[in-house]
């Protein structure tokens, strides 16, 4: 916290950081392509190119666009998100930032979208690498019928401490094997439990090992699936604070858990990774971002 207030003592420091991260001193001007001559416009979140005199908005195209909240509050909320282990409840965020519940809800949702926009692995594994694969159930609320619980099935793939996960509609072969074939590089060794959908993997040319159940002792011959089990424990801990997650929003919480898990051992802190890049975003793209975490059935031959 001390470090945060030293680094971002004023709103201007946040604007400067956002501009430098997005455009930098040496990036070409989007209007005239000349490089690196900007000056800040007073009392506006914009910089002006000294060659063509055109303005560039600092926040346009990010999650901060069209909010009236100070950037410093957003950054501080990101610090809370980065350092929480049990997830950030909207009520907590509202109390802590001194804003209304609806505002806190919007901040939380947009920060999770921001996390989901960050680069993730497109495929994992490689020749001779072990991939631990498992599915888990999570409980959500149905959006149409709030009194009913819904089940979300999440498929997780873990390789060398990095995880890729997404929701699938069921446990059929097209859902499980179809997504595995899309996301795992050829030559990997797949470790799964004994679910019958996975039995077709070896027939389809994969090197497939069935992991022994958790209560059996692992010997040199059989492998355990602990890597992915540990990840489920982390996800459940991250969701513990939230009592009512709607199923349409579940992917956002999943992206938060995956992001935090994947950068747990990185040299750069989670907060620095969160503010180290501001991927372009508009609300029209929300469905595209969502599809990266809601995998669905894959076309399957
Ligand atoms: Zn210019």
């Amino acid at each position: 916290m001390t470090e945060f207030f030293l680094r971002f003592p004023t709103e201007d420091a946040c604007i400067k950081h956002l501009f430098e991260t997005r455009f930098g001193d040496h990036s070409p001007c989007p209007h005239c392509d000349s490089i690196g001559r900007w000056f800040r416009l007073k009392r506006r979140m914009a910089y002006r190119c000294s060659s063509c005199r055109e303005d560039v908005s600092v926040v346009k195209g990010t999650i901060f666009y069209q909010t009236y909240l100070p950037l410093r509050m957003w950054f501080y909320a990101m610090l809370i998100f980065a350092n929480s282990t049990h997830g950030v409840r909207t009520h907590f965020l509202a109390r802590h930032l001194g804003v209304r519940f609806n505002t806190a809800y919007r901040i939380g949702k947009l920060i999770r979208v921001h996390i989901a926009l960050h680069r993730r692995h497109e495929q994992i594994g490689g020749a001779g690498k072990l991939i631990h694969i498992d599915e888990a159930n999570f409980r959500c609320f149905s959006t149409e019928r709030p009194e009913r619980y819904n089940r979300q099935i999440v498929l997780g793939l873990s390789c060398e401490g990095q995880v890729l996960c997404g929701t699938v509609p069921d446990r059929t072969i097209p859902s499980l094997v179809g997504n595995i074939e899309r996301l795992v590089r050829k030559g990997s060794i797949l470790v799964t439990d004994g679910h019958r959908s996975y039995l077709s993997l070896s027939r389809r040319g994969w090197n497939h090992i069935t992991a022994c159940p958790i209560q059996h002792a692992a010997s040199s011959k059989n492998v355990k699936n602990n890597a992915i089990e540990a990840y489920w424990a982390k996800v459940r801990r991250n969701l513990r604070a939230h009592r009512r997650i709607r199923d349409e929003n579940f992917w956002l919480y999943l992206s938060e858990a995956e992001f935090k898990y994947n950068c747990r051992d990185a040299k750069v802190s989670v907060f620095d990774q969160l503010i180290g890049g501001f991927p372009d975003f508009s609300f029209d793209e929300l469905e595209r971002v969502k599809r990266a975490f809601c995998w669905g059935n894959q076309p399957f031959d």
Side-chain angles (χ1 to χ4, degrees), residues 131-232:
I131 313 270
H132 297 273
I133 300 170
D134 196 13
E135 346 78 52
N137 288 334
F138 291 90
R139 211 171 64 156
C140 289
F141 275 90
S142 159
T143 314
E144 293 88 40
R145 300 174 63 185
E147 73 283 359
R148 248 181 69 174
Y149 279 118
N150 256 359
R151 191 180 57 164
Q152 292 276 354
I153 306 170
V154 179
L155 176 66
L157 318 159
S158 163
C159 177
E160 295 177 340
Q162 294 291 298
V163 164
L164 206 55
C165 66
T167 58
V168 288
D170 45 43
R171 286 186 162 84
T172 57
I173 295 178
S175 290
L176 300 182
V177 179
N179 278 306
I180 290 170
E181 297 205 326
R182 183 170 65 91
L183 298 161
V184 177
R185 291 194 193 94
K186 290 282 171 211
S188 312
I189 304 164
L190 309 180
V191 184
T192 69
D193 56 18
H195 194 278
R196 60 192 157 84
S197 286
Y198 295 126
L199 297 180
S200 62
L201 281 170
S202 40
R203 252 189 291 124
R204 298 178 67 84
W206 288 94
N207 195 344
H208 176 221
I209 304 171
T210 305
C212 66
I214 212 96
Q215 62 267 30
H216 290 208
S219 69
S220 58
K221 215 174 161 190
N222 48 35
V223 186
K224 281 190 180 237
N225 226 354
N226 284 353
I228 192 74
E229 303 286 350
Y231 175 64
W232 297 139

Side-chain angles (χ1 to χ4, degrees), residues 21 25 37 54-55 91 107 113 121 145 154 158-159 179 194 197 199-200 211 218 230 237 240 266 297:
T21 314
D25 265 351
R37 286 164 64 215
E54 291 283 346
D55 298 347
H91 277 293
I107 293 175
V113 170
H121 306 281
R145 300 174 63 185
V154 179
S158 163
C159 177
N179 278 306
S197 286
L199 297 180
S200 62
R237 202 172 69 178
R240 199 182 288 165
N297 278 323

Side-chain angles (χ1 to χ4, degrees), residues 19 33 93 101 125 128 218 242 297:
F19 178 78
D33 283 336
L93 209 57
F101 180 85
H242 308 287
N297 278 323

